[in-house]
Amino acid sequence: MTRILLRNKLDDCLAAWQKAGFSVLAPVKRHEMSTFGEVQKASDMALDLVLTERTIKDHFFPQTEPLIKYKIGKHQIDSETMTPPERKRVFFGVRPCDASGLAIDDPLFGWDYKDDYWFRRRDNSVIVTIACSQADDFCMCTSVKLSPDSSKGADVLLRPLSDGSGWQVEAVSDRGTALLETISSLLQESSAETAPLPQVAEKFDVEKVMEWLADPASFESQFWKDISLRCVGCGSCTFLCPTCHCFDIQDEGDTYQGIRRKNWDSCSFPLFTMHTSGNNPRNTQSTRWRQRIMHKFNYYRGKFGVNSCSGCGRCTRQCPVDMGITETLQAISNLPR
Amino acid sequence: MGIQEQYRNEAAALLSSGEVKLVIGFGAGSTADRRRPLFARTPEQAQKFVLDAACIANLSTYLVAEGLLSDGKKVGVFLKPDGIRSVNILISEAQLKPEQVVILGYAIENGKEVTPLEGRNISDFSIGEKIRKLTPPPHVIEAAEKIEAMSPAERFEFWKEHFSKCIKCYACRQVCPMCYCRRCIVDVNQPQWVSTSSHTLGNFEWNLVRAFHLAGRCAACGACDRACPVNIPLRLVNYRMGKEVRSAFNYVAGENSDQKPVLASFKQDDPETFIL
């Protein structure tokens, strides 16, 4: 016997969370795009998507974030730090790959300096993951050693019931247990079966990939030039990625007043590494693509013990020239050795 | 022999005779319905070319890749009429030497049938009147008319909502053959002309700068629209700008390579209706 949440109890569930002071964010469709947005009722949610086009990362590490307001007077400089509000949020219907993305990025934002902007949002958020019941051609969670029902990064894991009537409920963190207490009267004991997980074939051998990347001889390989020939150097793969986290700091305003902002940046852009001297150490697209792969499957792992990829496949799904990480890693797996 | 076989053989012949150093075409993609740009440098690689109704990308964008044509050698490229129009614009803007491009032209009829276009040099394509009559797909015109019928306030709201999704990945710029500036205005950061922030102002700045910059230069291939990962209907913006230029100057971008760029040239009988 396990506890289940029925789909038809979802509205009550939302009401209970709102009453407990949470905003609820779930997959929504707006202006021909799917993303996570605030919802008031169950019918606002688009729970049947394989994945939303935008990741939940956007709600923890926004594309543009005001950091400081400044004003420079004749005799005085005033500045005001702008930290995000401590708003309690439930993210309902997160896919396992997106939840894992948050967990992958946690050590980065808490490494030598604890990023208040990330952790204020993380600490006030509860992640309710729904295990996948469908996958598409681009999904590759199993290739990075995750799975369609991974609970990594989740506080609560829901598994769809085979008759589609609801989900089996499991708390996977203290925060999740506390959240479930707020809806305890809506949960019921049941022995209903869960739906089978979708088959996500392993598309590459990540061990082989990591081994090849770690070999210093690979750095100057012709492979990078050949594979990245058609890359047009847009940043869509990086911006849609649940784990990419590079940013730039910009002052907007004039000499006397303005706002300092933290904006997303991308290793795909030449400007990313441009020196003030005009020299660019990564001055071709192949060196930038190499950096992206090396960062995800070599450097990040070296520093934080985990690969910076959760296998969502968005980089390939949305690439205007049908590139993406999968093809590159497949090609590396198949290199003669 | 189907067009795919014919063009594979032709590309292989161009490569083996040394006439071109490279042929840019399409190969199989990561799923059954996707095609991806494929670069062939040997006759064997040319046998991997795919040419069917799914080959809709405008490959002319690779012709302006930095350094590609700087050695003076020729490049072959698979192009639909919109790609050929792009090449005309690039030549008229002095970005390409016509003799460096060998065109393997094709058209897609009714979204299904792929037919070859005769001629291999850009000058072989006398496409003036044909191009003038060329219109975007009906759904694009329908959507554009719907927006034109809106009140200015409604229209502003429409674009505000769409531009609010913009993530500034610049995929629209990167896939566009007309966006060949070695340093785009948004990448100039000393001083920072255009805000890199993805807030309302920053997003409007980017999308409007691009719309103005493409006025009278857009080949209407729709690459920006297809590339946008957040589904902003960008081709509607360019369609509207193209319409403006057509009505003001009777000018359609890409008709031939002898055209002078419309906003960089002057005729004594140019209308001055827009001057207040």
Side-chain angles (χ1 to χ4, degrees):
Chain A
M1 293 291 267
T2 47
R3 285 185 299 175
I4 61 163
L5 170 66
L6 289 173
R7 219 175 240 268
N8 62 19
K9 290 275 168 40
L10 213 44
D11 272 326
D12 298 330
C13 194
L14 257 69
W17 287 334
Q18 282 156 351
K19 207 176 150 202
F22 289 101
S23 303
V24 183
L25 289 94
V28 291
K29 283 187 182 167
R30 63 177 180 106
H31 307 291
E32 295 159 58
M33 185 192 64
S34 54
T35 184
F36 267 74
E38 196 158 339
V39 293
Q40 300 304 329
K41 48 190 190 309
S43 58
D44 295 340
M45 300 182 189
L47 290 178
D48 296 326
L49 303 168
V50 173
L51 265 185
T52 47
E53 284 159 312
R54 299 285 298 267
T55 66
I56 53 166
K57 175 185 83 177
D58 307 2
H59 294 276
F60 296 86
F61 170 43
Q63 178 148 20
T64 180
E65 169 117 66
L67 304 177
I68 304 171
K69 244 188 209 165
Y70 63 88
K71 206 172 180 173
I72 303 173
K74 213 169 181 179
H75 303 291
Q76 198 183 332
I77 299 174
D78 293 318
S79 70
E80 182 195 329
T81 305
M82 301 163 83
T83 38
E86 305 245 6
R87 193 161 68 106
K88 285 165 59 179
R89 303 181 296 180
V90 171
F91 286 85
F92 185 85
V94 179
R95 291 295 173 211
C97 49
D98 275 0
S100 310
L102 297 176
I104 288 170
D105 274 357
D106 280 338
L108 179 275
F109 285 108
W111 157 50
D112 58 343
Y113 167 80
K114 194 166 185 246
D115 186 307
D116 207 20
Y117 296 83
W118 174 268
F119 284 106
R120 264 186 194 232
R121 294 189 171 100
R122 281 291 275 142
D123 294 345
N124 283 297
S125 299
V126 194
I127 309 296
V128 181
T129 294
I130 298 185
C132 296
S133 42
Q134 51 180 343
D136 68 13
D137 292 339
F138 305 100
C139 291
M140 51 151 182
C141 57
T142 51
S143 309
V144 293
K145 309 291 175 206
L146 289 164
S147 67
D149 66 343
S150 164
S151 64
K152 188 173 174 178
D155 296 300
V156 174
L157 177 66
L158 304 182
R159 294 170 195 275
L161 298 176
S162 51
D163 63 1
S165 64
W167 306 272
Q168 199 183 77
V169 180
E170 183 193 340
V172 287
S173 76
D174 293 346
R175 213 181 287 169
T177 308
L179 184 80
L180 290 182
E181 271 166 28
T182 62
I183 54 163
S184 56
S185 62
L186 300 170
L187 302 177
Q188 48 186 268
E189 291 288 317
S190 165
S191 54
E193 272 185 33
T194 54
L197 291 175
Q199 292 298 314
V200 182
E202 277 196 39
K203 297 195 163 149
F204 49 83
D205 182 337
V206 75
E207 301 292 338
K208 272 190 183 172
V209 168
M210 294 190 296
E211 191 188 307
W212 188 81
L213 293 177
D215 180 353
S218 306
F219 195 74
E220 295 296 351
S221 169
Q222 176 67 24
F223 170 81
W224 298 113
K225 288 182 186 146
D226 295 340
I227 197 100
S228 56
L229 213 50
R230 69 178 190 280
C231 177
V232 289
C234 75
S236 62
C237 55
T238 59
F239 286 180
L240 296 164
C241 172
T243 63
C244 275
H245 48 252
C246 287
F247 60 84
D248 179 33
I249 306 240
Q250 292 265 341
D251 284 346
E252 268 178 18
D254 55 33
T255 315
Y256 304 104
Q257 60 182 333
I259 291 182
R260 175 161 295 178
R261 290 182 162 272
K262 181 164 109 183
N263 292 338
W264 285 359
D265 205 347
S266 167
C267 60
S268 287
F269 299 153
L271 193 61
F272 186 75
T273 43
M274 181 74 90
H275 294 178
T276 46
S277 65
N279 174 51
N280 193 345
R282 291 207 285 267
N283 61 356
T284 58
Q285 209 51 40
S286 64
T287 57
R288 296 190 276 270
W289 184 247
R290 175 182 64 195
Q291 165 64 21
R292 182 161 155 73
I293 302 294
M294 281 284 188
H295 182 193
K296 289 195 170 294
F297 294 92
N298 186 356
Y299 312 147
Y300 199 87
R301 190 173 61 102
K303 191 155 193 71
F304 300 116
V306 60
N307 285 327
S308 176
C309 172
S310 66
C312 72
R314 283 185 184 87
C315 50
T316 311
R317 204 180 276 111
Q318 314 259 28
C319 176
V321 293
D322 194 40
M323 266 184 73
I325 278 177
T326 315
E327 179 205 359
T328 300
L329 300 193
Q330 266 169 344
I332 294 175
S333 295
N334 296 331
L335 282 175
R337 57 195 82 209
Chain B
M1 185 166 56
I3 183 171
Q4 179 173 286
E5 293 305 310
Q6 185 194 328
Y7 276 32
R8 274 182 185 174
N9 294 342
E10 221 172 303
L14 285 168
L15 288 163
S16 57
S17 71
E19 189 182 341
V20 301
K21 63 168 178 177
L22 169 76
V23 177
I24 308 169
F26 297 92
S30 57
T31 63
D33 55 354
R34 282 195 174 196
R35 303 291 172 264
R36 64 170 57 145
L38 180 74
F39 298 74
R41 292 186 194 276
T42 64
E44 294 73 45
Q45 288 167 338
Q47 294 308 321
K48 292 196 169 158
F49 280 135
V50 172
L51 187 55
D52 57 21
C55 297
I56 50 172
N58 181 356
L59 300 180
S60 70
T61 197
Y62 289 108
L63 295 174
V64 286
E66 200 166 356
L68 182 75
L69 297 175
S70 54
D71 58 2
K73 291 182 182 158
K74 285 189 185 186
V75 166
V77 58
F78 286 52
L79 293 177
K80 295 199 286 42
D82 51 18
I84 296 170
R85 289 203 296 281
S86 307
V87 169
N88 275 336
I89 304 170
L90 289 169
I91 292 170
S92 70
E93 294 183 359
Q95 296 303 311
L96 278 186
K97 287 193 184 125
E99 62 274 17
Q100 270 190 279
V101 184
V102 177
I103 295 170
L104 294 150
Y106 65 98
I108 302 174
E109 314 277 351
N110 309 319
K112 284 188 289 232
E113 204 190 327
V114 182
T115 53
L117 294 179
E118 274 180 46
R120 291 295 171 256
N121 301 313
I122 188 73
S123 57
D124 298 335
F125 297 91
S126 56
I127 43 182
E129 271 314 299
K130 226 164 146 190
I131 292 290
R132 189 166 286 274
K133 285 189 206 127
L134 247 172
T135 49
H139 73 272
V140 173
I141 298 175
E142 203 179 299
E145 281 172 356
K146 228 166 117 184
I147 297 167
E148 282 173 26
M150 291 177 182
S151 71
E154 287 170 334
R155 201 153 50 226
F156 183 75
E157 213 42 49
F158 176 87
W159 286 114
K160 201 174 88 179
E161 295 290 359
H162 273 295
F163 290 154
S164 75
K165 300 183 296 185
C166 176
I167 54 173
K168 295 203 158 177
C169 63
Y170 304 125
C172 50
R173 175 186 73 182
Q174 296 305 102
V175 294
C176 178
M178 295 315 132
C179 272
Y180 54 71
C181 294
R182 286 289 165 250
R183 196 154 189 198
C184 174
I185 183 79
V186 298
D187 292 335
V188 177
N189 56 356
Q190 283 185 332
Q192 185 82 56
W193 290 103
V194 178
S195 166
T196 62
S197 305
S198 208
H199 46 38
T200 309
L201 175 67
N203 287 352
F204 261 88
E205 279 178 324
W206 162 242
N207 285 286
L208 294 188
V209 162
R210 200 177 118 79
F212 277 106
H213 198 162
L214 283 174
R217 308 177 60 241
C218 171
C221 67
C224 50
D225 204 281
R226 287 190 297 274
C228 181
V230 294
N231 308 329
I232 301 172
L234 291 167
R235 68 188 300 168
L236 299 181
V237 180
N238 301 322
Y239 170 73
R240 173 61 198 226
M241 297 306 278
K243 210 171 138 185
E244 259 341 289
V245 169
R246 187 160 33 189
S247 71
F249 303 105
N250 190 29
Y251 181 99
V252 177
E255 273 189 310
N256 59 66
S257 54
D258 301 325
Q259 275 177 313
K260 289 208 168 86
V262 67
L263 297 185
S265 57
F266 172 76
K267 280 191 280 193
Q268 283 204 323
D269 58 351
D270 273 342
E272 295 178 353
T273 47
F274 54 88
I275 298 175
L276 296 173

